[in-house]
Amino acid sequence: MSDNPNSTATTRDGTRLSYRLVKGRGRGRIVLVHSLAMDKTFWEPTVAALEGFADALIFDCRGHGASDKPAGPYSVELFANDVADLMDHVGWKSAVIAGASMGGCVALTFAAIYPKRVEALGLFDTTAWYGEDAPKAWAERADKALAGGMAALVGFQKTRWFSDGFREANPDVVEKAVSVFLDNDLPAYAATCAMLGNADIRAALPQFDFPSRVAVGSEDYATPPDMARYMAENIPGAELFVMEGVRHFTPLEVPSTIAGHLQELIEASASRARG
């Protein structure tokens, strides 16, 4: 497996995105979209667990990591267009598209706007809609960050991200996630929170026509299994997997399991292409 160093792509509106293209053995191509307030390193354990099975494209969403942080408002459609522009930049016509949490909302939206570019869809720890009170709840979270900094949210987030046993056994993983979280740009974080509060991709789900897999931790309090179940029930042919004893950041808590799901999606898309 060869790993290209961090590179930069420019989107249609001039926003620069930091990305890495990890070359594998040519079994397929996969785009991985990270969770809110994380960056491309969120996917490194999963990419490592793939062991070069496929080419993997990981990147910092706008407003995150080393990518540009233009003023809001943001939308899931804007983030989905960024994925399309990044794929154009690296020369990928299509790929398996997968995302976690916020990244899942982006993946869903990409699938709705660019269905012919989706070979298969992986949805981890995510939802198509956060509910009736979502705009208010997300605005409150953004306001808390703007008033007290990202540190004001850390205690709340750590217990949602990881199971109790994992936090105790893997303090290095937890602290790395916290470090990325604390490094966020506050206005960009607030704009992304507003984006998630307004996101509603439910109407697109029945139109999807590609292998799809929905996976969630049984202890995920941020996007509970019922949200995953709704997506699986409304996406034709989608498979649902509930991972016992795991919380919201499954790509960090059980990367080998997530890598297994991705490999099976790649194989399903290849089988479908062969007819």
Side-chain angles (χ1 to χ4, degrees), residues 75-77 80 101-113 121 123 126-131 195-208 230-231 234-235:
S75 69
V76 285
E77 292 79 11
S101 195
M102 175 193 80
C105 293
V106 175
L108 283 167
T109 306
F110 182 90
I113 300 174
L121 183 64
L123 303 169
T126 195
T127 183
W129 182 56
Y130 280 95
M195 173 185 90
L196 294 175
N198 292 323
D200 185 355
I201 315 111
R202 291 175 294 171
L205 305 184
Q207 304 166 24
F208 293 169
Y230 176 89
M231 291 188 295
N234 284 274
I235 297 173

Side-chain angles (χ1 to χ4, degrees), residues 70-192:
Y74 295 166
S75 69
V76 285
E77 292 79 11
L78 178 62
F79 278 44
N81 288 339
D82 288 346
V83 174
D85 293 347
L86 180 56
M87 290 174 65
D88 289 343
H89 176 82
V90 300
W92 289 10
K93 182 178 179 180
S94 63
V96 174
I97 308 296
S101 195
M102 175 193 80
C105 293
V106 175
L108 283 167
T109 306
F110 182 90
I113 300 174
Y114 302 99
K116 294 188 182 303
R117 304 193 72 168
V118 180
E119 296 172 5
L121 183 64
L123 303 169
F124 305 112
D125 327 311
T126 195
T127 183
W129 182 56
Y130 280 95
E132 293 284 356
D133 65 343
K136 179 175 181 290
W138 280 105
E140 288 173 352
R141 189 183 304 188
D143 289 344
K144 186 171 183 179
L146 291 171
M150 299 299 289
L153 300 173
V154 166
F156 161 77
Q157 292 289 9
K158 283 198 295 187
T159 58
R160 286 162 70 91
W161 290 342
F162 303 109
S163 65
D164 297 342
F166 184 88
R167 290 201 313 277
E168 183 177 345
N170 300 274
D172 55 331
V173 177
V174 176
E175 290 312 309
K176 183 176 180 180
V178 168
S179 178
V180 173
F181 184 79
L182 291 174
D183 201 36
N184 270 262
D185 176 84
L186 291 175
Y189 177 78
T192 313

